[in-house]
Amino acid sequence: VGDVLKRMPETRGRPSEYDRWIQAYGGDDFQAVVKRYKALVETAARRLDLADPLHATLASNFSTALHLEYLFWDQPLNHAVAWPDLRS
């Protein structure tokens, strides 16, 4: 996200309080961590037996994480205020 924001011309006039956040998430160190983490997740996924009940749990958790990420970014656009109750 930070890497994309650094390249977007419409963010050049943004408030300066976002600069540190954008630099952190767009910086080389963060990008390197993301690449290492992605490789770990992909390796683990290839080793996972699809019949293992853990697969369904991981898939559900991943889906929930994606949904929450969507809500986070959608909230300012659509003025959403309600978050799902994830207590189980």
Side-chain angles (χ1 to χ4, degrees), residues 16-81:
S16 62
E17 63 262 19
Y18 297 110
D19 290 346
R20 287 178 42 199
W21 182 86
I22 291 169
Q23 291 301 321
Y25 286 95
D28 293 338
D29 290 342
F30 183 76
Q31 297 303 317
V33 169
V34 168
K35 286 179 184 176
R36 285 195 306 270
Y37 180 74
K38 182 180 174 189
L40 287 172
V41 170
E42 288 175 349
T43 298
R46 283 192 295 274
R47 294 178 181 165
L48 187 62
D49 179 1
L50 296 181
D52 187 331
L54 180 60
H55 181 267
T57 300
L58 292 173
S60 176
N61 290 347
F62 184 74
S63 178
T64 298
L66 288 178
H67 182 67
L68 291 173
E69 185 74 10
Y70 167 78
L71 290 175
F72 174 79
W73 291 105
D74 186 61
Q75 190 173 23
L77 296 173
N78 294 309
H79 308 289
V81 293

